[in-house]
Amino acid sequence: MNVIWMPAANRDRRDITDNIAQDNPAAAIKMDELFEAASKRLARFPHAGRPGKVPATRELIPHKNYRMVYQVGENTVWILALFHTSRQWPPDVFRMDQ
């Protein structure tokens, strides 16, 4: 199965790793590797995550502090968002086409 990171999820991923890198560049690399490993796991097991709070989505926890929100299509997993678990989810405004 193909895995596609939507632009908003790519921004989330970059923001997370940039923020971590300010204090610990090695930890930022390790975190990004966890995110990449999670996306590869979804390519093999797209229903690995639990049903999401937003209809038609699923959620995977690649690290205890981060939630990955995604949708499963016929041949594609679309990663929609990646964020710290302390953030409100779903946000007041959430668009799947971001």
Side-chain angles (χ1 to χ4, degrees), residues 12-26:
D12 294 341
R13 183 177 177 175
R14 185 178 56 248
D15 290 348
I16 290 165
T17 55
D18 287 351
N19 186 41
I20 295 169
Q22 291 177 13
D23 295 324
N24 189 336

Side-chain angles (χ1 to χ4, degrees), residues 9-81:
N10 264 327
R11 281 190 302 274
D12 294 341
R13 183 177 177 175
R14 185 178 56 248
D15 290 348
I16 290 165
T17 55
D18 287 351
N19 186 41
I20 295 169
Q22 291 177 13
D23 295 324
N24 189 336
I29 291 168
K30 185 175 178 181
M31 186 63 68
D32 194 60
E33 289 171 348
L34 284 174
F35 297 152
E36 185 63 24
S39 68
K40 288 181 179 180
R41 187 169 53 243
L42 290 176
R44 292 191 327 254
F45 307 105
H47 295 281
R50 65 181 182 220
K53 293 180 180 179
V54 173
T57 66
R58 300 188 70 79
E59 299 177 6
L60 183 71
I61 307 296
H63 178 275
K64 67 179 183 175
N65 293 328
Y66 294 96
R67 179 178 303 168
M68 183 180 285
V69 179
Y70 65 99
Q71 278 187 314
V72 179
E74 189 171 319
N75 296 311
T76 305
V77 172
W78 304 90
I79 300 177
L80 307 172

